[in-house]
Amino acid sequence: MDISFFFCYTICTTKRRCDVEKLSNKEVEELKQEIKARLSDVDNKEIDEDENISREELAQELRHIDDEKLHEYLEEHHDVDIAESFEEIDKDEDLLKILNAMTDEEKAAILEEADEDIQKRIVELLPEDDVLDIFSHMSPDDIVDILGYINFQKRKNLLNNMKRSDANKLRELLGYETDSAGGIMTTQFIAFKKDLKIKDILEKIKIIGPKTEYIETIFVLDVDGSLMGEADLRDILGSSDDTILEEITNENFKYVKPMVDQEEVALLVSKYSLKVVPVVSDKMALMGIITIDDVVDVIQEEHTEDMLKLASTGDDEDIYTGLYESIKKRLPWLFINLLTAFLASFTVGIFQNTVDKVVALAVTMPIVSGMGGNAGTQALAVTIRSIALGEYDGNENLMISIKYIVLGFINGLVLGLFCGIIIAVAFHNVYLGIVILLSMIGNCIIACLVGYLIPIGLQAINIDPAMASAVILTTVTDVCGFFLFLGLATTVIDKL
């Protein structure tokens, strides 16, 4: 954004401030259009500068750029893009050369945006004194994340060389589970006693604001130091100097305890559209805050974790995970699937004589199990989503179960009629079409009901519903589908 334009415009208009009201509507509109045009030109210029440049190209440019021009180059590109480009720099000496040319603030900004592997690599490459200088420009929650990644000895050395007060804060944060509110909170916030005047608060904000990660919300403390509410910075700026902080304090606020799961924090933020969540002790002492950027990371992490668990893979696996790690994460679940497949195979074996007599049964029975699996997966996905979003109410199990039974019946009836007619015509046998129809209805009812009950049951015994639901559902729909289809076929074997 071209700030000089606004300064220039302000100076020019100040000289004619008394004549502003004399401007005609036409002149006002022309002035608005001119401002919009200039802003548009600046925005388009910024977009043109940033678009169509890959992280490989960024990495190549960073390798060869002069040290004097590096700072200007970093200002022209976003920290996230620079951090991603570091992934394309394979040689440690190249990365170290770039890092040494940066200021500590520039390193801190990029380190905060980098992924885990790059963070560990940078911390391992740099001397401990340099790392501590970088940490001085970072928020505690980001530092804790990095300390949790690196080896124990390196972490111990860094903590021992910090100021005692800073090290104690970080050790306290490291003591919380990484997926808890305490594990993702930061201890950088602004809090004042309720009896302060606005003019005193503004003077303090000017001093401590630049060093604080989040200043849009000011936390208000009671006389005993306990958290009693929040005050929006806008309200503070809009109040008179003699206003007491308590007068503009919102005492209807949401908070969490440090041991609360991060997923619950994300649900709270989503439900109440919060920008920040205070973390308090049992005595309502303010321990830290969780900002919206951390919550966005939590939502992405939880969504990815649930999706991977639903597919029976590791919850932290990606396409770049090593071969051994991928095998270790996937093979156990594949073995479990194999065992359940034996159960389905055993069910078919019970009706071996029936299948031997009517070959058409072997051709058509996968249709029944397959459609049951699809219907169950739909119910499973909706139920797990409802649990994840906190929408599930355990008092409505009976009503929802009845709904899924009816849903399964209707879906099975429609699909069974369609499939049954095709099968009857194709094999010139009405009874085979009826068997398909009845077994499809039965399996869809079972699939829908089980797709709902499995995650509910797993949650009741404190097992992550996303982890084992898919395996159980596949087993149930296959076994029930084969049993219903071949069992019905056996009863009318003489007609087939």
Side-chain angles (χ1 to χ4, degrees):
M1 192 67 67
D2 192 354
I3 302 299
S4 62
F5 163 69
F6 290 101
F7 287 164
C8 180
Y9 174 72
T10 302
I11 293 170
C12 293
T13 53
T14 301
K15 295 178 181 179
R16 300 186 305 165
R17 186 169 296 168
C18 296
D19 299 329
V20 169
E21 295 180 357
K22 299 179 182 179
L23 288 173
S24 65
N25 291 334
K26 182 179 179 181
E27 289 174 322
V28 171
E29 289 300 322
E30 288 177 354
L31 189 58
K32 288 181 179 178
Q33 293 301 323
E34 181 183 353
I35 293 173
K36 288 180 180 178
R38 294 197 187 188
L39 290 176
S40 178
D41 290 341
V42 172
D43 290 341
N44 289 336
K45 182 180 178 182
E46 290 177 352
I47 293 172
D48 291 339
E49 288 176 352
D50 289 339
E51 67 181 358
N52 299 326
I53 182 167
S54 65
R55 62 185 188 182
E56 290 84 2
E57 293 171 327
L58 274 175
Q60 187 67 17
E61 292 177 1
L62 285 170
R63 288 191 189 96
H64 300 95
I65 196 169
D66 295 334
D67 291 353
E68 295 78 12
K69 297 181 180 179
L70 178 62
H71 307 297
E72 182 180 349
Y73 186 83
L74 293 175
E75 290 180 0
E76 294 174 353
H77 296 85
H78 199 283
D79 297 330
V80 174
D81 298 324
I82 298 296
E84 289 182 348
S85 71
F86 280 6
E87 298 176 21
E88 305 301 323
I89 301 176
D90 298 325
K91 295 182 179 179
D92 288 345
E93 54 266 29
D94 289 342
L95 181 57
L96 197 55
K97 175 180 175 293
I98 297 169
L99 291 170
N100 288 334
M102 293 181 179
T103 65
D104 290 335
E105 290 185 19
E106 290 169 343
K107 294 174 192 172
I110 292 170
L111 195 61
E112 285 180 341
E113 302 296 345
D115 68 8
E116 177 183 336
D117 292 333
I118 293 298
Q119 288 178 334
K120 287 194 294 186
R121 186 180 172 195
I122 291 174
V123 172
E124 293 295 334
L125 280 175
L126 295 174
E128 290 179 4
D129 289 341
D130 290 354
V131 174
L132 292 175
D133 290 337
I134 295 171
F135 281 175
S136 67
H137 299 282
M138 296 174 62
S139 61
D141 57 326
D142 291 320
I143 298 173
V144 167
D145 289 340
I146 296 172
L147 292 176
Y149 300 149
I150 62 178
N151 66 70
F152 175 78
Q153 189 59 47
K154 183 87 172 182
R155 182 200 313 162
K156 182 180 178 181
N157 292 340
L158 289 171
L159 289 171
N160 289 339
N161 290 316
M162 289 181 186
K163 293 180 181 178
R164 180 176 296 180
S165 58
D166 293 338
N168 289 339
K169 285 182 182 179
L170 294 176
R171 287 191 178 97
E172 180 183 354
L173 293 175
L174 285 167
Y176 295 110
E177 295 291 335
T178 56
D179 58 354
S180 68
I184 61 174
M185 73 178 181
T186 179
T187 54
Q188 286 187 337
F189 54 85
I190 299 178
F192 296 118
K193 292 289 183 67
K194 66 179 183 179
D195 54 357
L196 278 178
K197 290 184 178 181
I198 296 300
K199 61 179 180 181
D200 298 326
I201 290 172
L202 290 176
E203 289 178 1
K204 294 177 182 293
I205 290 177
K206 288 179 182 178
I207 298 172
I208 62 179
K211 305 175 184 178
T212 309
E213 180 179 358
Y214 187 86
I215 65 171
E216 285 80 359
T217 300
I218 307 302
F219 297 94
V220 184
L221 306 178
D222 211 336
V223 289
D224 62 353
S226 61
L227 182 64
M228 63 164 288
E230 302 170 342
D232 194 281
L233 184 59
R234 289 184 180 181
D235 296 332
I236 293 175
L237 295 174
S239 301
S240 62
D241 289 347
D242 293 328
T243 303
I244 303 298
L245 181 58
E246 185 178 10
E247 297 176 13
I248 58 171
T249 297
N250 172 29
E251 298 186 26
N252 181 22
F253 65 100
K254 302 297 177 183
Y255 60 87
V256 295
K257 299 295 180 65
M259 302 309 295
V260 170
D261 189 272
Q262 63 178 11
E263 195 167 359
E264 293 184 35
V265 178
L267 290 174
L268 188 70
V269 169
S270 176
K271 182 177 181 179
Y272 295 100
S273 300
L274 303 176
K275 295 180 181 178
V276 62
V277 181
V279 181
V280 301
S281 67
D282 292 334
K283 295 183 179 180
M284 289 301 292
L286 183 57
M287 303 174 65
I289 62 171
I290 300 171
T291 54
I292 187 65
D293 59 322
D294 293 317
V295 174
V296 170
D297 293 338
V298 168
I299 292 172
Q300 181 180 359
E301 179 186 329
E302 293 292 340
H303 176 267
T304 302
E305 180 182 315
D306 288 346
M307 183 178 68
L308 291 174
K309 284 182 177 179
L310 207 53
S312 299
T313 64
D315 56 10
D316 58 350
E317 185 180 359
D318 57 37
I319 59 174
Y320 299 107
T321 300
L323 178 61
Y324 173 74
E325 284 297 318
S326 292
I327 293 173
K328 189 170 68 173
K329 292 174 183 295
R330 299 186 186 192
L331 199 56
W333 285 106
L334 291 175
F335 263 114
I336 294 174
N337 282 330
L338 179 62
L339 294 176
T340 60
F342 278 125
L343 187 59
S345 178
F346 173 77
T347 304
V348 175
I350 296 175
F351 300 97
Q352 182 177 352
N353 293 333
T354 303
V355 176
D356 289 341
K357 291 179 181 179
V358 184
V359 179
L361 296 176
V363 178
T364 54
M365 66 180 180
I367 299 175
V368 178
S369 62
M371 292 309 302
N374 291 335
T377 300
Q378 289 177 335
L380 188 69
V382 172
T383 305
I384 289 178
R385 178 182 180 276
S386 297
I387 292 174
L389 296 178
E391 299 172 350
Y392 167 68
D393 185 355
N395 297 323
E396 299 179 348
N397 280 332
L398 180 59
M399 183 186 71
I400 298 175
S401 297
I402 293 173
K403 171 206 163 182
Y404 273 115
I405 291 172
V406 175
L407 179 64
F409 174 80
I410 295 173
N411 287 341
L413 179 63
V414 174
L415 295 171
L417 281 172
F418 180 76
C419 184
I421 292 172
I422 294 175
I423 295 298
V425 172
F427 290 94
H428 309 290
N429 193 314
V430 175
Y431 289 97
L432 184 57
I434 294 173
V435 169
I436 284 282
L437 168 63
L438 296 177
S439 56
M440 191 87 77
I441 292 173
N443 203 28
C444 280
I445 291 174
I446 294 172
C448 287
L449 186 60
V450 170
Y452 167 68
L453 293 177
I454 288 174
I456 299 303
L458 290 175
Q459 186 195 37
I461 56 176
N462 296 321
I463 296 178
D464 190 344
M467 185 169 62
S469 295
V471 175
I472 299 173
L473 177 66
T474 301
T475 304
V476 172
T477 54
D478 284 352
V479 170
C480 292
F482 291 146
F483 187 84
L484 284 172
F485 180 67
L486 295 176
L488 288 170
T490 302
T491 61
V492 293
I493 189 66
D494 297 333
K495 306 288 186 180
L496 301 177

